[in-house]
C-alpha cells in the first residue's frame, strides 16, 4: 500500500503531517481514542448539523463541557458509577488523541488507567 487508509477523523495527524513525527503504534492509540469518544458521546466526532461551528468537532465540544455537570447531553440519566466510568473513558480518550504522539499513552498504559481510579487521573491539555 502506498497511501493512507482509514476513516477521516480517526486517522492520527502524523499520518498526514510528517513534521509531527512518524507513524507508529501511537497512531492506533489516536484512532482508539476517537472511537471511544464517539461511543461515549453517542455522536460522530464531526457533526455538520450543529448550529455553532465550535460544536462541530466533538473533542472540542467535550473539552468545553467536561468541567461542567457530567450530563454532557448523553440523553439519559446515569448513576454515580456510570458517571465515573464515563468520565474515565472521556479522560483516557482525550489523552489518546493528543496531537504529539509522544504525549499519547501506550495501549498497555490505557488499560492500566482504565483499571485505576478516576481520582488519580488528570485532564490532558487540549490537543
Amino acid at each position: 500500500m502506498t497511501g493512507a487508509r482509514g476513516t477521516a477523523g480517526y486517522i492520527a495527524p502524523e499520518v498526514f503531517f510528517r513534521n509531527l513525527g512518524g507513524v507508529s503504534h501511537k497512531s492506533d492509540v489516536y484512532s482508539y481514542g476517537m472511537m471511544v469518544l464517539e461511543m461515549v458521546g453517542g455522536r460522530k466526532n464531526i457533526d455538520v448539523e450543529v448550529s455553532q461551528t465550535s460544536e462541530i468537532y466533538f473533542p472540542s465540544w467535550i473539552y468545553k463541557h467536561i468541567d461542567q455537570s457530567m450530563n454532557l447531553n448523553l440523553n439519559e440519566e446515569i448513576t454515580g458509577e456510570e458517571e465515573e466510568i464515563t468520565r474515565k473513558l472521556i479522560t483516557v480518550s482525550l489523552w489518546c488523541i493528543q496531537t504529539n504522539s509522544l504525549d499519547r499513552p501506550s495501549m498497555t498504559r490505557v488499560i492500566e488507567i482504565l483499571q485505576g481510579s478516576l481520582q488519580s487521573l488528570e485532564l490532558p491539555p487540549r490537543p
Side-chain angles (χ1 to χ4, degrees):
M1 291 198 281
T2 58
R5 303 280 191 270
T7 304
Y10 296 86
I11 301 173
E14 62 269 17
V15 172
F16 298 105
F17 305 107
R18 299 292 180 186
N19 62 328
L20 294 176
V23 176
S24 70
H25 65 283
K26 296 283 186 94
S27 302
D28 290 335
V29 172
Y30 182 93
S31 299
Y32 171 80
M34 291 303 288
M35 179 196 64
V36 171
L37 276 180
E38 182 177 308
M39 288 173 28
V40 169
R43 64 177 262 198
K44 294 183 184 288
N45 66 16
I46 297 176
D47 187 355
V48 295
E49 296 178 7
V50 295
S51 60
Q52 297 179 2
T53 56
S54 62
E55 295 178 4
I56 290 175
Y57 187 56
F58 189 53
S60 294
W61 185 88
I62 285 281
Y63 266 106
K64 183 178 178 181
H65 294 88
I66 191 76
D67 292 329
Q68 299 170 5
S69 160
M70 193 53 221
N71 184 348
L72 294 175
N73 294 334
L74 298 179
N75 300 324
E76 59 186 70
E77 293 294 318
I78 58 174
T79 67
E81 181 182 2
E82 290 170 330
E83 179 179 334
E84 182 172 332
I85 291 169
T86 302
R87 214 175 254 287
K88 192 184 296 185
L89 287 170
I90 289 171
T91 304
V92 168
S93 296
L94 293 174
W95 275 111
C96 290
I97 64 167
Q98 292 296 297
T99 303
N100 184 343
S101 64
L102 298 175
D103 293 336
R104 296 178 206 144
S106 66
M107 284 309 294
T108 302
R109 180 69 184 129
V110 167
I111 292 168
E112 290 171 359
I113 294 169
L114 291 173
Q115 292 173 339
S117 73
L118 178 63
Q119 288 71 31
S120 63
L121 194 55
E122 61 183 70
L123 197 61
R126 283 183 177 224

